[in-house]
Amino acid sequence: MLKNRVTKKETLHSPLTLRPAMLAAALLVAPVYVSAEAVDWDGVEGNEVTLFYPGQASWEWALTQSDHSGNERFRQGRNCSYCHKGEEGDIGKLIVAGEKLEPTPIDGKPGSVKLDVKMVNDGERLHVRLAWPDTGYKPVEPMDKDNALRVTMMLDNGGVGEATRAGCWGTCHDDANRMASANGEERVKYLSASRNKMSRSGGGDNVKTDDEIAKLLAGNHFMEYWQARVGVDGEAKSVHGYILDERHETFDSKVDVDVSREEDRWVVVLSRDLTAPGDGYKTLSEAKKLMVGFALHDGHATGRAHYVSLDHSVSLNGGDADLQASKR
């Protein structure tokens, strides 16, 4: 098993609200997971993935002709990245400024972040290394008073059609918290299959029976996510979850995390066994591509005030895909 400890590499430049001296001290003593057999990342080729600010763009918005000019191609089966890959920076800049899909612009928040993604498949585990520069954004009033940083990878192994079309966007609905059709209701991410009916405003609370939800879960129709969470005290935690009728998450996670700072950037490594260790975990079969989406909540952000990626495919065995998990 991996040990709980925090690492600090070179100079620490904190984007957190804590005073730098306090944060540095916290990072030196707070726990983070470190692999007993560290991966040599220097020889692994990386891919640049642009994360961008999405505002209130939802699954339903993408399917609505009056809202989304590309909805016809999307309905015909094109995925989000087919039309928008390379445009993420411009889209994020437009939305974060409140020019579209954002009724409450956030002053000083960059519209996008460049994420360096490296993956390794060692035959037993999948290791994912995510690195990005400090955005420099510091909120006047933190949204999340408990956590300074959260970085997440959501994945599917073929069980959820929306994942192939739109990555994690398949879980983002118009009636979720702080979205356009929320009407003050508290509702988290979910999959359309968990609802008895869907409309332009989402699926609401028309949730299927417990037995129906259990059958969907047993049938691999859920999205899994791995998350590294850094608290305001500098402590890093591993969070695992899955999304179906709602978001289910636990700190009793089988995902190991390593969080560190290298000068002006964050480096996070997420890893777990290729075999599914229990309910809510996907079997990471080498015979299939994975579909993944990445999200970053920096500067004490919460909810939709984050950065997200478009859909990306991953090959674990050298097949054709956007991202490759190098064999070791």
Side-chain angles (χ1 to χ4, degrees):
M1 294 297 292
L2 303 188
K3 301 297 183 181
N4 227 359
R5 137 178 118 78
V6 153
T7 59
K8 187 188 76 163
K9 300 176 182 177
E10 302 181 14
T11 305
L12 181 71
H13 299 287
S14 170
L16 311 189
T17 298
L18 272 66
R19 293 194 302 272
M22 294 174 61
L23 178 66
L27 282 171
L28 287 171
V29 299
V32 119
Y33 298 88
V34 177
S35 175
E37 296 180 335
V39 175
D40 179 9
W41 292 105
D42 289 341
V44 180
E45 184 177 355
N47 291 92
E48 184 180 87
V49 173
T50 301
L51 308 184
F52 64 101
Y53 187 81
Q56 291 184 333
S58 66
W59 174 257
E60 290 77 22
W61 173 87
L63 291 167
T64 303
Q65 184 173 5
S66 59
D67 292 335
H68 180 213
S69 61
N71 87 98
E72 184 175 350
R73 281 171 291 178
F74 189 64
R75 287 179 177 275
Q76 290 172 349
R78 297 295 189 188
N79 56 14
C80 295
S81 59
Y82 178 85
C83 293
H84 297 298
K85 186 175 182 180
E87 300 177 349
E88 300 97 324
D90 292 336
I91 293 171
K93 184 177 180 180
L94 183 75
I95 296 176
V96 79
E99 296 182 41
K100 188 175 183 179
L101 289 164
E102 181 50 77
T104 55
I106 304 176
D107 289 340
K109 189 177 181 72
S112 62
V113 177
K114 299 292 187 182
L115 187 70
D116 180 54
V117 180
K118 294 183 178 184
M119 296 186 177
V120 164
N121 169 17
D122 66 10
E124 295 183 356
R125 299 175 66 82
L126 175 63
H127 308 267
V128 180
R129 180 184 183 272
L130 308 174
W132 68 96
D134 179 359
T135 65
Y137 172 68
K138 297 177 179 62
V140 175
E141 182 65 28
M143 294 181 179
D144 186 344
K145 298 184 184 302
D146 297 322
N147 298 292
L149 174 73
R150 285 178 287 159
V151 61
T152 309
M153 182 178 77
M154 192 177 293
L155 62 133
D156 177 54
N157 62 349
V160 181
E162 296 100 305
T164 302
R165 303 285 306 288
C168 56
W169 236 284
T171 68
C172 181
H173 295 282
D174 216 63
D175 56 358
N177 295 344
R178 298 182 64 217
M179 295 293 281
S181 303
N183 296 321
E185 297 290 328
E186 291 293 318
R187 189 175 294 109
V188 294
K189 295 179 183 294
Y190 61 87
L191 290 176
S192 299
S194 69
R195 267 37 182 187
N196 288 308
K197 60 180 180 179
M198 294 288 294
S199 69
R200 169 60 182 85
S201 61
D205 296 322
N206 304 300
V207 184
K208 292 181 178 179
T209 66
D210 289 346
D211 286 345
E212 289 173 309
I213 296 298
K215 288 180 180 178
L216 288 168
L217 182 62
N220 196 37
H221 194 93
F222 64 92
M223 294 285 282
E224 179 183 354
Y225 66 90
W226 308 354
Q227 184 180 96
R229 188 176 297 183
V230 179
V232 294
D233 58 357
E235 181 179 358
K237 296 179 180 178
S238 171
V239 179
H240 177 268
Y242 72 91
I243 295 172
L244 180 49
D245 55 320
E246 61 180 354
R247 183 180 62 222
H248 302 262
E249 67 178 31
T250 178
F251 288 107
D252 184 19
S253 172
K254 304 302 181 183
V255 177
D256 299 314
V257 306
D258 175 88
V259 180
S260 61
R261 292 279 296 186
E262 294 179 353
E263 294 187 338
D264 64 345
R265 62 178 200 156
W266 287 97
V267 179
V268 171
V269 178
L270 308 165
S271 64
R272 80 155 171 86
D273 291 346
L274 296 174
T275 55
D279 291 341
Y281 290 84
K282 297 277 182 177
T283 297
L284 307 182
S285 169
E286 293 191 24
K288 298 179 181 179
K289 290 182 183 178
L290 302 180
M291 294 303 300
V292 301
F294 303 99
L296 170 64
H297 289 79
D298 74 330
H300 298 263
T302 189
R304 63 176 176 78
H306 60 351
Y307 299 104
V308 296
S309 74
L310 297 175
D311 49 282
H312 291 276
S313 57
V314 178
S315 174
L316 303 181
N317 59 1
D320 182 38
D322 302 326
L323 307 171
Q324 296 288 332
S326 300
K327 297 296 288 290
R328 289 291 187 269

